[in-house]
Amino acid sequence: MADTLGDFIDRCRSRLQGQLNSVYPASGSLPANLLAALEYALNNSGKQVRPILYFAAGRAISEAEQASIKAALALELIHTYSLIHDDLPAMDDDELRRGKPTLHKAFDDATAILVGDGLQARAFEIIADAPELSAEQKVKMIKVLAEASGFAGMVGGQYVDIQSTGKDLSLAALRAMHAMKTGALIRASVALGGIAAGASEAQLVALDTYAEHIGLAFQVVDDILDVESDTQTLGKTQGKDEQENKATYVKLMGLEGAKSEAQRLLEKALAALNDFGESAEMLRELGRYIVDRKH
């Protein structure tokens, strides 16, 4: 029987969950409250889309699914750190994340900042220590992940987002902001999967084109769900973008226009995989899942 997307997602999440213990420092090396905050952050799992995209990209290149679990874990740590910091009062000032109080609400601002800092550093350490990766692969991965996390990626995108609150943005400026804030780590996830599986340069280019369009589609759907869904389903405050007068795809294009844009981006993403065979089917299915999701 052919592997279903649900089976694949469950297997990826199970592999990832089995590695979470490797994140924690040696017993007794952290103050109890800091360790409790770290456990709170890591046990509040979300959709884990980024590591799943990583595994799917590796499968597209090498059907054996032997991509490094350590790199997948590093991606989830970077994503978790970014959410912890984005939720802080000085940033997006959110009180709810994945259906639970945000880390700074459950503990305090300083603890949340430090847990985020530690997770970011630990992500790079995990890749550097991965025995199944070559030195060349590690250098490539660390460079890609650092760029996606920094000024050209999430940090820069978050800054633009904060500075743009209450202002009118053009569609081009909105796309550029989200290509950094949301899209960069999604592109990095797919790139790392390709690198771990030994993709050629041509394959990496095709994977990146797919990821670029899926990354933007992910944010378009986020904007749609902020209008159409509810707080319980989303696990975070619904309608917050409108309340804060943030630039969104729905605001600029209308609800139906945003839905059409998500479909257009999906078609572009799928077209980038035309030269891949059956091995890329999970990437295709994940693209459809990202666009059709309800939370």
Side-chain angles (χ1 to χ4, degrees):
M1 181 181 294
D3 205 14
T4 68
L5 178 63
D7 291 338
F8 179 73
I9 289 175
D10 288 344
R11 188 164 63 251
C12 291
R13 287 175 175 165
S14 179
R15 290 183 68 188
L16 199 65
Q17 191 67 29
Q19 288 292 313
L20 280 180
N21 285 340
S22 67
V23 175
Y24 301 118
S27 179
S29 63
L30 277 186
N33 200 55
L34 183 57
L35 179 60
L38 175 58
E39 290 174 339
Y40 183 90
L42 291 179
N43 289 333
N44 192 17
S45 298
K47 294 181 286 293
Q48 298 175 341
V49 167
R50 290 147 192 85
I52 293 170
L53 281 168
Y54 163 86
F55 284 124
R59 177 171 169 152
I61 304 302
S62 173
E63 296 184 33
E65 280 187 34
Q66 295 303 312
S68 166
I69 183 65
K70 298 297 186 183
L73 183 60
L75 285 162
E76 186 63 13
L77 297 191
I78 290 289
H79 180 55
T80 301
Y81 127 75
S82 74
L83 297 181
I84 291 169
H85 280 196
D86 284 0
D87 289 337
L88 288 165
M91 298 281 194
D92 291 342
D93 193 16
D94 277 313
E95 298 185 359
L96 194 67
R97 173 67 66 178
R98 296 170 175 170
K100 293 169 62 177
T102 48
L103 191 61
H104 70 276
K105 285 294 181 181
F107 292 84
D108 54 67
D109 291 6
T111 301
I113 292 168
L114 292 170
V115 169
D117 289 345
L119 286 173
Q120 180 184 197
R122 186 75 175 110
F124 293 103
E125 182 183 4
I126 285 173
I127 292 177
D129 286 343
E132 67 274 20
L133 297 172
S134 69
E136 182 179 5
Q137 285 174 315
K138 290 176 183 179
V139 170
K140 285 182 178 179
M141 286 181 170
I142 288 171
K143 184 179 187 302
V144 168
L145 191 53
E147 185 174 351
S149 304
F151 295 118
M154 293 190 302
V155 169
Q158 176 71 352
Y159 179 82
V160 174
D161 190 20
I162 292 169
Q163 296 301 312
S164 301
T165 299
K167 299 177 183 177
D168 291 329
L169 285 185
S170 68
L171 184 57
L174 184 66
R175 285 174 175 152
M177 176 181 75
H178 286 304
M180 292 190 293
K181 182 178 179 180
T182 304
L185 190 59
I186 287 176
R187 290 175 71 179
S189 301
V190 173
L192 263 62
I195 293 167
S200 67
E201 286 303 315
Q203 288 172 323
L204 287 173
V205 169
L207 289 175
D208 186 60
T209 302
Y210 162 87
E212 178 183 6
H213 289 94
I214 283 300
L216 287 174
F218 189 98
Q219 184 60 51
V220 174
V221 174
D222 259 12
D223 289 355
I224 293 168
L225 292 176
D226 192 61
V227 173
E228 288 194 329
S229 192
D230 56 78
T231 297
Q232 183 175 358
T233 302
L234 292 176
K236 60 183 180 180
T237 307
Q238 182 269 341
K240 197 163 186 294
D241 289 342
E242 184 177 2
Q243 293 170 17
E244 297 186 352
N245 195 24
K246 286 197 170 188
T248 68
Y249 288 95
V250 173
K251 183 178 179 180
L252 288 180
M253 307 178 78
L255 188 57
E256 292 307 313
K259 290 180 179 180
S260 295
E261 175 71 357
Q263 289 298 322
R264 183 189 72 82
L265 290 166
L266 173 61
E267 290 171 8
K268 290 280 190 181
L270 296 179
L273 302 177
N274 282 345
D275 289 340
F276 290 85
E278 184 68 21
S279 63
E281 193 56 30
M282 287 305 158
L283 273 181
R284 297 184 184 99
E285 288 296 317
L286 280 168
R288 298 182 185 104
Y289 163 77
I290 284 169
V291 170
D292 293 338
R293 75 188 196 279
K294 302 303 178 186
H295 61 89

